[in-house]
Structure formats: structure tokens, C-alpha cells
Amino acid sequence: MAIWNLGSINVDMVYAVPHIPAPGETLASTGRKIFLGGKGANMSVAAARAAARVNHIGAVGADGRWTVERLLEYGVDIRHITEVDHDTAQAIIMVDQHGENAIVLHPSANHEIPLATLEGALSEAETGDWLVFQNETNLQKVAAQIGRKMGLKVAYAAAPFSATAVQRVLEHLDFLILNEVEAEQLRAATGTAPQDLGVADVIVTLGADGAKWFGAKGEVVVPAIPVTPVDTTGAGDTFTGYVLAGLDRGLPMEQALALAAKAGALMVTRHGTADVIPDLSEVQAFQP
């Protein structure tokens, strides 16, 4: 089977800072690095490194050709990434001494993915493949509709969070993943708890406290793996990519979640985004 990811591609500029700046504060960074990033790219790399066959659907500007080459190096199928007449998306990421971050996104090309690119990509998908998307691109609703009609398993990582965006695609979903704050915001907007949304599998991530899966077995707690974080950027995307890759390879949900928890824990011990996502052999060997 395969994973088709309608996903963002960003140039991540990561600044190390003593603390996250307060409003009006000017702060000198103590370092800067540039990475391949974007929630979509991170998930594609994570799923590919977890041994899934991953097809990325997206857009970059001419300035971002290197990001496409990097995805190819990491084992992602790049045939459905289009070059458009817009700048490649950028993320300004500040990471403090405790690994917490603050992020500013400039979406640009991520919001200019042509419909023809999406339709051309999904014309190659097969019943039972996974389609995943996030909130950093255009075409989310039409992708969900096409995926449902084609018999794909439709997954949605609801970040950056918008309750309205979730509600637009909710009826088409098989899999929804969001964090604890986002789950509460969705409950406030809809009056519905995660287990009552009508989605077969809902995962609520809890950061250092692990995650909860609401599915066929009711509510299942996924324990956290204790590590000392240095950078939490991309950890959630790594978790999502590993879960979907595990499911695509036929693992039961609980096994896929346990593997993803290890991958996410290992990820927060590293500085960076897509370029430092661990591969399957590293995750399997990881002993916290």
C-alpha cells in the first residue's frame, strides 16, 4: 500500500534563543540553522523513514528546489510536487533552552497547490491507500472528498488548529489526530467529545504525558517515554508519520502508537526538523 500526503514544504529557519521573546522584546539569538520542514514534509519523511511508501503532493517556488531534492534523498516520491510562481513557504522557529518553541509561518507556495496536481496524484492511488493532510495547504476539503470517493483511508492532522477547518472535513475522515488543547477547542466549538465525533480513530496527543486513542477498544492510554527534550519542533509530525506508516504496513493500532511514541521521544532529543527525524532502525534500537 502507500501513503499520499497533501502536505506543506517549508524552509525552516531555526533560531536558538535564551527564552521565547515577550511582546515588544528584542532578543539576540545564540545560533541559527536552516532545515527542510513544514508539517507535511516532516510527516512524509517520518513515514518514509518508518518504511512506508510515501508520495508527497505539494508546491514550492524556484528557491525551494533543494527542499524537493532533500525529500527525494529521504525516500519520498516527489513526482507530484509542483514548482509555482511563488516563494517557497518559510517558518521562523525560535527554540529556548528548555526545548519549547514559537513559530511564525509564511505559507506562500503551500497555499498555491494546483488542483490538477492533486487530481493527477490521486489518480494513481489505490483503494486502501492512506491520504493524509494538515492545515498548512489549500485543497483540504476537495482532497478529503476525492479520497472518500476513491476508497482511500483519510487521515487529518488538525494543525495549525482551526475548528472550522476540522468541521469542513470531519464527515470524510477515518483518522483524526490533534493535541489536548486542540481537542478541547474542538469540543468547545462542536459540543462533542473526541470519542463521539463519528471518526473511527481519534488520537489526542498529550505531550510529555503520552497520548490517548479513541477507537475500536474505547479509550486507550499510550504511555509517554521519559526523555530530556532539547527541541520539541517536529515531534508531533514524527509521531503522526510513524503511526500512519505502521498502520499502512499492517500493524495493529496499539503497536503503531507504541512505535510512534518511541520515534517522537527520540525526536525531541535532537535539534532540527525533517533532516533529523530518526529512521526505523534507530527507533527500534532506542532504549530510553
Side-chain angles (χ1 to χ4, degrees), residues 82-189:
T82 299
E83 187 172 308
V84 295
D85 190 22
H86 293 268
D87 292 339
T88 303
Q90 298 176 4
I92 307 299
I93 303 170
M94 294 172 286
V95 181
D96 72 12
Q97 297 174 333
H98 304 288
E100 294 300 325
N101 62 50
I103 302 172
V104 176
L105 293 176
H106 174 58
S108 198
N110 286 334
H111 284 186
E112 303 295 335
I113 302 169
L115 177 59
T117 298
L118 173 67
E119 292 175 334
L122 294 185
S123 70
E124 300 180 16
E126 299 179 358
T127 300
D129 284 356
W130 281 94
L131 168 66
V132 60
F133 52 95
Q134 318 82 34
N135 273 347
E136 290 185 345
T137 72
N138 58 327
L139 300 178
Q140 297 161 22
K141 184 174 181 179
V142 67
Q145 291 171 329
I146 294 172
R148 172 61 70 199
K149 289 178 182 178
M150 291 183 62
L152 307 183
K153 291 174 283 190
V154 182
Y156 181 38
F161 184 74
S162 162
T164 300
V166 176
Q167 290 172 286
R168 280 200 296 261
V169 300
L170 196 58
E171 64 181 306
H172 305 294
L173 302 181
D174 299 288
F175 176 106
L176 172 65
I177 185 166
L178 65 175
N179 67 32
E180 189 174 21
V181 173
E182 294 161 350
E184 187 53 43
Q185 290 174 336
L186 185 59
R187 183 199 295 264

Side-chain angles (χ1 to χ4, degrees), residues 9-68:
I9 301 171
N10 294 352
V11 175
D12 280 0
M13 291 176 281
V14 182
Y15 295 85
V17 293
H19 58 269
I20 303 301
E25 180 180 11
T26 299
L27 189 65
S29 72
T30 58
R32 186 190 78 152
K33 293 183 178 179
I34 297 177
F35 297 95
L36 166 67
K39 299 190 72 63
N42 293 342
M43 290 179 194
S44 282
V45 172
R49 286 185 163 172
R53 183 162 64 90
V54 183
N55 305 271
H56 195 98
I57 307 165
V60 298
D63 60 324
R65 291 171 185 165
W66 69 268
T67 63
V68 180

Side-chain angles (χ1 to χ4, degrees), residues 219-280:
E219 180 180 328
V220 176
V221 175
V222 182
I225 296 175
V227 292
T228 301
V230 299
D231 184 355
T232 58
T233 312
D237 304 331
T238 299
F239 182 94
T240 301
Y242 261 81
V243 171
L244 292 176
L247 296 175
D248 185 64
R249 292 190 290 110
L251 294 182
M253 178 64 83
E254 286 168 293
Q255 290 184 26
L257 287 168
L259 190 67
K262 289 184 68 175
L266 185 55
M267 182 63 177
V268 302
T269 67
R270 302 176 173 187
H271 290 284
T273 47
D275 297 300
V276 299
I277 292 172
D279 65 26
L280 185 58

